[in-house]
Amino acid sequence: MNLVTYLGKQVLGVLASYRNGDIAVDICGVYPQWDNRLRVFFPRGHSLQVGELATLHLDNRSGVDEFDSAIRVYRASYKGRVLSVEDDWALLEPRECVLMHSFTPAVEITEPGYAFPPDARPEHPVPVSPLVNLPRIEGRDRENKVGVLITQAQEQPHTTVLAFLSSEDDDIFLITFPETFKSRLLKRNPHCFFVMDERATFTFERAIQWNYTIIEGDAHQIANGSALFESVRQAFIDKNPWELPFFLREDLEMYHIRCQRVVCPGIRH
C-alpha cells in the first residue's frame, strides 16, 4: 500500500487548493515518501499554509507513449493536508487517495475517521454552449497529451484526468456521463480549470519540463443530437479511434469549457 512503489520517487503533479472562496492551481515537483506523505516543490513559490487542504493529480507515465482504452497508467487524485511548509517546499499527508491502474485500484489510502463530505448544493442545468460550429482544432494537440479537469467539490477541489480536444482559441471539449462525479460537480458549479500537459516527454530521466497550459473558464453543455455535438464527437473519434464505443454511448454528455483566461500557476483570482 505504498505510492513510491508505483509512482517512483519523483513525478510532476497538478495541485489545486482553496482560500477565501478562490481556487489556485500549481504545477509542482512531487516526491512520494514511504509513509505516503508527499514532499512537494513549487518552482515559483507557493502560499500554502499549515492545515490547508489540497488535492493533487499524480500520474506516472514512464514507458507509456500514449493512452489507450485500457488506460494502463498509474494515476491518482490525492486529497491531502499540509503538515509543514518551508521556503518553496510543502509536506502533505493523505486524507484519501486511490491510485488506479487501468480500472483497478493499486493503492487505497483513507485517513482514520475520514468520510466523503456531503454536498447539499443543488444541481442545475449547465448553460448551453454559444458555439454553433466546431472551431479550428489545435493542430499541436498530441494524442498522448494529459488533460486534468479541476472542479469545485466540498472541502477541497476534485481532479480527474480525461480525453479532450482544444481549439486554436483555447476552447476545451470534454466528454463524460451523467453518473460521474465531475458531471454532478459541473452542474453545481460550472466554473472550473483545465490543465493541459504540453510536455514532449514524460520522465525525469529524459527531460524535466514544466510545460503546462492552465485554462480557467465556465463549462457549457452541447446538446446531444445537435450538429455541433456530432462534429465534436467525430473529432474525438478521429483523435482517439480506440475509444469508439465510449464516444457512441447514447447517454454521453459533451461539455465545452469557454476560456476566460490562461492563468499562471499559483495565481488566485
Side-chain angles (χ1 to χ4, degrees):
M1 297 287 288
N2 188 280
L3 296 175
V4 177
T5 302
Y6 300 98
L7 294 177
K9 295 184 177 181
Q10 53 183 2
V11 294
L12 289 178
V14 177
L15 182 146
S17 58
Y18 294 140
R19 182 169 297 158
N20 299 323
D22 292 339
I23 189 168
V25 180
D26 285 283
I27 308 303
C28 46
V30 181
Y31 300 83
Q33 307 295 292
W34 290 107
D35 59 3
N36 290 322
R37 295 179 179 183
L38 302 178
R39 292 185 68 240
V40 183
F41 171 69
F42 301 85
R44 299 185 181 182
H46 67 88
S47 56
L48 292 175
Q49 300 179 4
V50 173
E52 189 171 352
L53 303 179
T55 304
L56 291 99
H57 166 76
L58 305 171
D59 68 66
N60 181 2
R61 302 184 64 191
S62 298
V64 179
D65 292 326
E66 65 180 24
F67 284 123
D68 60 16
S69 59
I71 319 179
R72 288 183 286 263
V73 173
Y74 289 105
R75 63 202 186 279
S77 182
Y78 181 105
K79 299 178 182 68
R81 179 188 295 107
V82 179
L83 283 178
S84 64
V85 295
E86 182 178 358
D87 299 325
D88 295 337
W89 292 83
L91 178 67
L92 278 73
E93 64 177 351
R95 304 181 73 214
E96 190 268 348
C97 176
V98 179
L99 180 72
M100 300 292 293
H101 186 266
S102 190
F103 301 103
T104 303
V107 175
E108 297 182 81
I109 304 165
T110 304
E111 178 186 58
Y114 176 83
F116 196 78
D119 192 341
R121 295 175 298 170
E123 296 182 19
H124 300 285
V126 177
V128 176
S129 172
L131 292 177
V132 176
N133 299 308
L134 178 65
R136 187 182 297 273
I137 295 299
E138 175 56 68
R140 294 182 300 108
D141 273 0
R142 294 170 57 92
E143 292 179 358
N144 61 357
K145 187 188 291 182
V146 171
V148 179
L149 176 66
I150 300 169
T151 45
Q152 299 189 47
Q154 297 290 81
E155 294 189 348
Q156 56 200 110
H158 176 68
T159 64
T160 185
V161 62
L162 70 175
F164 73 99
L165 295 171
S166 64
S167 77
E168 293 180 352
D169 295 324
D170 293 323
D171 299 285
I172 304 295
F173 298 95
L174 311 172
I175 284 177
T176 186
F177 302 100
E179 70 272 14
T180 63
F181 189 49
K182 54 184 170 287
S183 172
R184 300 191 66 184
L185 288 177
L186 289 174
K187 291 165 185 169
R188 291 182 170 116
N189 187 341
H191 191 72
C192 59
F193 289 77
F194 195 80
V195 183
M196 293 184 287
D197 188 338
E198 307 277 6
R199 289 176 292 159
T201 60
F202 302 99
T203 65
F204 277 86
E205 292 77 11
R206 294 172 61 187
I208 299 177
Q209 299 174 305
W210 304 86
N211 192 9
Y212 288 75
T213 298
I214 304 173
I215 301 293
E216 178 181 6
D218 290 317
H220 296 72
Q221 195 157 4
I222 299 174
N224 194 323
S226 67
L228 178 60
F229 185 97
E230 295 305 328
S231 295
V232 175
R233 172 155 52 191
Q234 188 58 53
F236 267 105
I237 292 171
D238 292 342
K239 182 179 179 183
N240 301 304
W242 55 82
E243 294 279 17
L244 181 62
F246 177 89
F247 297 134
L248 294 180
R249 277 182 52 173
E250 292 184 0
D251 59 344
L252 182 147
E253 288 184 340
M254 187 178 294
Y255 290 96
H256 162 217
I257 300 176
R258 193 176 187 184
C259 177
Q260 292 182 354
R261 61 174 182 157
V262 178
V263 302
C264 296
I267 298 297
R268 282 177 165 83
H269 59 80

